[in-house]
Amino acid sequence: MLKIIGKKAQNIFLLTSLLLAGSKAVAQTNDTSLPKLIEKDGRHAFLVDGKPFLILGGQAHNSSAWPALMPGVWKSVEMMHLNTLEVPIYWEQIEPQPGKFDFSLVDTLLTQARQHNVKLVLLWFGTWKNGSNHYMPEWMKRDAEKYPNITGKTGKPIDSPSPHSKATLDADIRAFSAVMLHLKQADTQHTVIMVQVENEPGSWDTVRDYSAKAQKLFEADVPADLLKPAILKALNVPVNTKGSWQQVFGDRADEYFQAWSIARFIEQVAAAGKAEYPLPLYINVALRDPLTNPPATHYESGGATDNVIPIWKVAAPSIDLLAPDIYLSGSERVLKVIDLYARADNALFVPEAGLIADNAKYFYDVLAHDGIGFSPFGIDDNGDSSNDEHLAKGLPPFAQEYVMATPMMHELAQWSFEGKIKAVVEHEDGAEQTIKLGTWDAVIKFGGGRGGELKPNQDHNGKAMIVTLDENKFIMTGTNCRVTFRPTGSNTGKAWQYLKVEEGGYDHGTFKSLRILNGDETDWGGPAIGDKPRVLQISLVVR
Ligand code: DGJ
């Protein structure tokens, strides 16, 4: 079943024809409907201007969204070949006096993004920024009594805003609603495609708020919404359990209470913003180790870490997706995170990842999980637009993927939505991996050179992505890898060969061949791709 996430579809006819059209015929339209997320059979697509869109993104540093700094940001945007810039907007700048709004920086971003032909994801640095309140306006920072922080277990003051403060909630609702209303009026062409509400909400240094007000709520009964059997089951609690937070959730009670409290606060901010202008909204998450189930004292408590996703989904229905910020390392860990956040009820979007070469390979795995985009953090050099060394180091691994993806961005988004993309990324052991493709197995070896034994990749940065066009025809790309095929299923035991291997790329919806690869380029262990991604169209035949 097709579901439109968020507000009602504005153009059902267009969507239906798009979905019926199949992978080749991505809708050609001047659709002016709002950006929206759609879901079908548990997979997701992000429609921008009515077409499936893939965010080839990058995020500016926290303090770079000022006119004096933006030239450096745009330089990085160009070098990286982004189609979407993620950039903060600051509560302290937007509402310098209570109720007096200044949208000049927002307007500058809109104008400059249009000049650069780039979409924007705006990051509302509001009540929470990395668990603290550092972007609250000065008039709020000066009034701790009205806009309080939380209290730690021993009574220690914690550098984190209280989700139980009505005054803070009202102020954030007013400011965020004003931002969304302004966008509605100033951005009829939809330069802004999505908005992040707050930034990495949660609390460091305490698992929850222990103030008297919070303690009273903690000792009261768990709200009925959380006691539904499906939710309790998802949280590994016997159904029919009820009572106080401690009684229902035992040693996870503190964290779950904090997650619920923050998510309910943000829900009210998001719902008010959406009532003004229903763009897709998301929150980003400071992750926990997804492999070891650590206690919440080891990470930012109350954010939408993998263990509390069910709580966030119930508490904050106006948030369209929960998005992991990937700063963890190790392929097992990162792949697990991608698995955990790609859910039927959650479109996968990676709004931050370390700007390190290693991370470029995960872009492929995101596509294989019908992800809607990827975006490394800190693309500009934080004030120094002439530091080409920084740009030369960080950007190229991502830039070359975006250059590969740009001409077929709509196709990739559509294929991903239809579940046609599979990918493997090299693990630390460099071992070969198999992609199952119906009557074929694609065997991917990582490294360079010819023959059975390849020269290992130094940084384990090999990767491959294969799109199934039909039973015997595939699009493949990757880096530092070689592919060969094995007949399987009804093809098992048959002789086979390449019918045709073409190198080329997509151009306005069709594959354009530059050359046919044959001889040394397909013998010696199959077609190979080196440091730079290339796009191959591979047809196979059994004989
Ligand atoms: C994650 C946050 O969301 C970003 O704003 C930034 O602070 C990075 N961490 C670290 O540089």
Side-chain angles (χ1 to χ4, degrees):
M1 212 187 58
L2 170 68
K3 269 205 308 207
I4 289 118
I5 300 174
K7 282 276 161 172
K8 232 179 138 201
Q10 297 191 345
N11 195 336
I12 295 284
F13 172 72
L14 171 77
L15 284 182
T16 314
S17 42
L18 170 66
L19 291 164
L20 293 177
S23 62
K24 269 208 147 171
V26 167
Q28 300 296 319
T29 167
N30 294 324
D31 185 273
T32 53
S33 61
L34 278 180
K36 59 178 90 72
L37 288 156
I38 59 170
E39 180 265 328
K40 186 172 181 268
D41 300 333
R43 285 196 296 271
H44 303 272
F46 183 31
L47 301 187
V48 173
D49 301 329
K51 290 185 265 183
F53 186 85
L54 180 60
I55 295 177
L56 306 173
Q59 188 171 140
H61 277 289
N62 291 168
S63 308
S64 296
W66 296 87
L69 276 290
M70 283 308 290
V73 176
W74 293 121
K75 182 172 177 181
S76 298
V77 167
E78 277 165 19
M79 287 189 69
M80 217 171 150
H81 300 268
L82 303 189
N83 67 14
T84 307
L85 172 69
E86 292 178 6
V87 64
I89 53 172
Y90 315 117
W91 192 0
E92 63 182 351
Q93 181 277 326
I94 286 176
E95 197 182 1
Q97 306 294 329
K100 301 244 178 313
F101 296 102
D102 172 0
F103 293 114
S104 54
L105 291 198
V106 174
D107 290 342
T108 300
L109 293 174
L110 290 176
T111 307
Q112 294 187 358
R114 287 169 195 151
Q115 283 161 357
H116 288 85
N117 199 20
V118 160
K119 299 286 188 189
L120 294 175
V121 170
L122 296 182
L123 319 173
W124 171 238
F125 282 13
T127 296
W128 283 272
K129 165 66 175 83
N130 297 21
S132 298
N133 67 359
H134 300 175
Y135 282 86
M136 276 182 186
E138 283 181 32
W139 51 268
M140 293 180 78
K141 285 182 183 161
R142 288 180 198 282
D143 195 345
E145 206 165 315
K146 188 163 179 192
Y147 308 107
N149 278 4
I150 60 176
T151 307
K153 199 167 191 167
T154 57
K156 182 177 131 193
I158 302 289
D159 181 19
S160 187
S162 167
H164 307 292
S165 161
K166 175 89 169 58
T168 307
L169 174 62
D170 288 346
D172 202 340
I173 285 175
R174 183 179 63 185
F176 187 65
S177 303
V179 168
M180 295 304 281
L181 177 61
H182 181 74
L183 290 180
K184 181 183 178 175
Q185 291 160 349
D187 189 29
T188 48
Q189 55 201 284
H190 309 143
T191 299
V192 178
I193 54 175
M194 194 151 60
V195 177
Q196 178 187 293
V197 191
E198 319 297 342
N199 191 89
E200 292 193 347
S203 55
W204 297 95
D205 294 333
T206 183
V207 175
R208 71 167 169 95
D209 185 7
Y210 291 85
S211 66
K213 190 173 184 182
Q215 189 59 28
K216 207 166 156 208
L217 292 166
F218 183 74
E219 285 164 13
D221 284 351
V222 171
D225 279 351
L226 266 186
L227 296 176
K228 295 192 177 129
I231 308 295
L232 290 178
K233 222 166 138 206
L235 295 169
N236 296 317
V237 172
V239 293
N240 297 327
T241 314
K242 43 175 152 335
S244 71
W245 288 83
Q246 195 67 58
Q247 285 165 331
V248 176
F249 297 120
D251 60 5
R252 284 282 173 183
D254 292 334
E255 179 190 11
Y256 288 9
F257 172 72
Q258 181 75 343
W260 172 263
S261 308
I262 294 176
R264 287 305 298 160
F265 181 115
I266 292 179
E267 165 59 17
Q268 294 169 78
V269 176
K274 264 195 171 163
E276 297 298 347
Y277 184 41
L279 277 184
L281 303 177
Y282 75 98
I283 61 132
N284 61 333
V285 184
L287 300 173
R288 67 179 202 146
D289 186 331
L291 301 176
T292 59
N293 192 26
T297 42
H298 286 51
Y299 53 91
E300 189 182 6
S301 176
T305 46
D306 65 84
N307 56 325
V308 296
I309 290 175
I311 296 179
W312 269 84
K313 287 287 171 188
V314 180
S318 300
I319 295 294
D320 296 284
L321 63 93
L322 311 171
D325 288 350
I326 299 186
Y327 293 95
L328 298 167
S329 56
S331 57
E332 191 188 358
R333 241 177 226 102
V334 175
L335 295 173
K336 181 75 183 173
V337 166
I338 289 173
D339 257 358
L340 287 167
Y341 284 85
R343 300 164 42 119
D345 64 357
N346 197 63
L348 177 66
F349 172 45
V350 177
E352 290 185 38
L355 189 72
I356 51 171
D358 265 11
N359 280 342
K361 63 186 176 188
Y362 300 115
F363 170 56
Y364 284 30
D365 202 54
V366 167
L367 279 171
H369 284 78
D370 57 284
I372 62 159
F374 194 85
S375 179
F377 174 83
I379 58 164
D380 55 304
D381 195 28
N382 216 342
D384 187 354
S385 58
S386 61
N387 187 351
D388 288 337
E389 204 186 315
H390 160 85
L391 301 176
K393 253 199 286 168
L395 307 188
F398 296 94
Q400 65 179 24
E401 297 307 326
Y402 290 177
V403 167
M404 174 275 294
T406 297
M408 55 177 179
M409 179 274 275
H410 291 304
E411 281 81 11
L412 284 170
Q414 178 78 14
W415 290 328
S416 177
F417 182 42
E418 292 173 359
K420 290 183 173 170
I421 300 183
K422 295 198 171 171
V424 288
V425 305
E426 185 175 357
H427 293 194
E428 287 72 8
D429 63 4
E432 72 175 40
Q433 295 182 49
T434 301
I435 300 181
K436 299 248 159 238
L437 301 165
T439 53
W440 300 96
D441 281 351
V443 181
I444 312 292
K445 289 190 174 175
F446 299 105
R450 292 174 165 187
E453 286 304 312
L454 299 181
K455 188 164 159 270
N457 296 324
Q458 291 278 306
D459 304 320
H460 305 299
N461 55 2
K463 57 186 180 298
M465 171 163 71
I466 298 187
V467 183
T468 300
L469 297 183
D470 69 33
E471 194 187 341
N472 300 311
K473 191 171 178 185
F474 308 96
I475 293 290
M476 181 201 169
T477 188
T479 54
N480 299 312
C481 68
R482 188 176 279 278
V483 62
T484 187
F485 293 85
R486 206 164 40 209
T488 185
S490 55
N491 280 345
T492 305
K494 293 185 184 159
W496 72 280
Q497 68 183 78
Y498 295 104
L499 187 63
K500 200 196 262 184
V501 178
E502 294 162 283
E503 181 181 339
Y506 268 75
D507 182 11
H508 294 92
T510 40
F511 183 83
K512 295 269 166 65
S513 179
L514 291 174
R515 60 170 172 164
I516 293 177
L517 299 181
N518 208 336
D520 286 350
E521 281 65 54
T522 52
D523 302 336
W524 305 97
I529 305 183
D531 277 345
K532 288 203 171 39
R534 291 184 298 146
V535 180
L536 309 180
Q537 180 167 268
I538 302 175
S539 300
L540 307 173
V541 65
V542 286
R543 288 165 60 82

